[in-house]
Amino acid sequence: MDVSSSEIAYDHSPFLKIYKDGRIERMIGTEVVSPSLDPQTGVESKDVVISPETGVAVRIYIPKATIQTQKKLPVLVYFHGGGFCIETAFSPQYHRYLNSVVSEANVVAVSVDYRRAPEHPLPVAYDDSWTVLKWVESHADEKGPDEWLKSHADFERVFLAGDSAGANIAHHMGLRVGTEGLHAGFKLEGIVLVHPYFWGKEPIGSEMSEAEKRAKVDSLWRFVYPATSGSDDPYINPASDPKLGSLGTGKVLICVAEKDLLKDRGWYYREILEKSGWGGVVKVLESAGEDHVFHMFNPACENAKALLERIVSLVNHGEL
């Protein structure tokens, strides 16, 4: 027996392990479900491959009742979490969550399946996500290949959202919209960052008493982005980014959880964004007694319902 097949080279539990023979074992986030018509919410979904060369794809969701009408709905582009290395847009909990969001907010949602580290280290996930956003934008003048987006998406009301690593991506897509611009008929109305994966070399708040956990976060970041300059890289620390004030929307909702190690980074993001010269409105929703991405694991709890209601309020009424 080849000893290297069982020897661990990198252990990033509880996410994944890499063995010395190069084998990658993802410990969680590997289950997938097919697109469907969800009987509980009446939301229909389908998968579309954006780039056959890379395999980058999306799962699109729409309230089925909308398909037979001429009605146009707001657009939500969603980026899943998972430390840039686990989970997909097709994971059961993300499929369930997007069905709920689409049903409650009455939107068309595009859930992005970007390529993951370590097979595709950062910044690949950012580039894939921008490719998808440009693909979504291509439908803004009722062109583009997808009928649901052509017929039912209101590109004057576009929102970006994500959780954890996906919130990090949503932030960076907002920056690219602000610095590079998109179609004149494409308006980014707001961004929702749920428990965003931001970090920094110098500890803040509760991080100061969590040396062991901090070391794991530092290690994971270098693992998913080997070419990084470190924990103050603008990709992970918005305070290091001179472009922060260029965020391409006027409304940002940051959601944090009281027991989450990343909580203080969410509050700090509000502080630095307000000081950046950006000029928009940013609010923070803190969920008492909860931990990181609690709403994905316990979507029926009261705090998860309250979080969803805030997102729906932003999308439907522009209220933070």
Side-chain angles (χ1 to χ4, degrees):
M1 178 181 174
D2 185 357
V3 176
S4 67
S5 65
S6 60
E7 289 186 358
I8 296 172
Y10 301 98
D11 187 345
H12 290 281
S13 301
F15 298 120
L16 50 71
K17 296 177 182 178
I18 299 182
Y19 295 86
K20 288 188 175 178
D21 63 359
R23 181 166 54 93
I24 298 169
E25 179 190 4
R26 285 185 167 85
M27 302 160 74
I28 54 175
T30 58
E31 189 180 352
V32 298
V33 293
S34 298
S36 62
L37 172 60
D38 182 55
Q40 287 185 304
T41 60
V43 172
E44 188 163 352
S45 54
K46 65 179 177 181
D47 294 342
V48 179
V49 176
I50 305 302
S51 171
E53 297 78 22
T54 63
V56 173
V58 295
R59 177 161 291 179
I60 307 177
Y61 298 79
I62 192 170
K64 184 170 176 60
T66 301
I67 296 176
Q68 304 303 323
T69 71
Q70 298 300 311
K71 191 173 183 180
K72 289 189 179 286
L73 305 177
V75 181
L76 176 70
V77 182
Y78 194 88
F79 307 93
H80 71 81
F84 300 102
C85 60
I86 61 166
E87 303 291 358
T88 69
F90 318 126
S91 299
Q93 65 266 37
Y94 284 104
H95 184 72
R96 180 181 64 233
Y97 183 64
L98 267 297
N99 277 330
S100 297
V101 173
V102 169
S103 172
E104 292 294 323
N106 202 32
V107 297
V108 178
V110 179
S111 185
V112 181
D113 194 55
Y114 52 85
R115 288 173 291 173
R116 304 166 301 174
E119 299 93 333
H120 304 283
L122 293 176
V124 168
Y126 299 116
D127 295 335
D128 288 349
S129 297
W130 184 246
T131 295
V132 170
L133 203 54
K134 295 286 285 182
W135 179 83
V136 172
E137 175 210 27
S138 73
H139 298 79
D141 50 7
E142 297 191 352
K143 294 182 180 176
D146 186 77
E147 198 58 45
W148 287 1
L149 292 177
K150 274 197 297 188
S151 300
H152 301 294
D154 180 355
F155 290 98
E156 295 282 333
R157 293 184 292 165
V158 180
F159 297 83
L160 305 181
D163 63 284
S164 195
N168 175 300
I169 294 174
H171 157 74
H172 283 288
M173 295 305 100
L175 282 181
R176 290 190 71 165
V177 170
T179 56
E180 299 182 28
L182 287 173
H183 187 282
F186 184 105
K187 185 177 180 185
L188 183 54
E189 282 282 281
I191 299 176
V192 181
L193 307 179
V194 180
H195 311 162
Y197 179 18
F198 296 136
W199 204 236
K201 187 176 180 181
E202 295 299 321
I204 61 173
S206 60
E207 298 167 9
M208 295 180 187
S209 60
E210 298 285 1
E212 187 176 337
K213 289 182 180 178
R214 277 191 57 79
K216 285 189 173 183
V217 177
D218 287 332
S219 175
L220 178 64
W221 174 246
R222 290 187 177 277
F223 172 69
V224 298
Y225 194 2
T228 184
S229 60
S231 293
D232 281 338
D233 189 313
Y235 274 121
I236 193 71
N237 187 355
S240 301
D241 195 341
K243 301 192 302 291
L244 181 60
S246 301
L247 197 67
T249 187
K251 295 177 182 177
V252 176
L253 174 63
I254 306 163
C255 304
V256 299
E258 182 186 7
K259 295 181 179 179
D260 184 5
L261 179 65
L262 299 177
K263 176 190 75 172
D264 295 300
R265 294 289 165 178
W267 282 103
Y268 185 47
Y269 180 86
R270 184 187 75 166
E271 180 184 329
I272 59 176
L273 187 59
E274 287 179 333
K275 293 177 179 177
S276 69
W278 166 59
V281 180
V282 54
K283 294 286 180 69
V284 179
L285 168 66
E286 180 167 330
S287 301
E290 303 291 0
D291 212 329
H292 194 61
V293 296
F294 72 92
H295 62 297
M296 301 301 298
F297 303 110
N298 190 9
C301 73
E302 290 306 310
N303 279 334
K305 291 177 183 177
L307 193 158
L308 181 56
E309 284 174 8
R310 282 291 291 272
I311 295 172
V312 171
S313 180
L314 172 60
V315 172
N316 287 168
H317 309 294
E319 295 175 358
L320 284 168

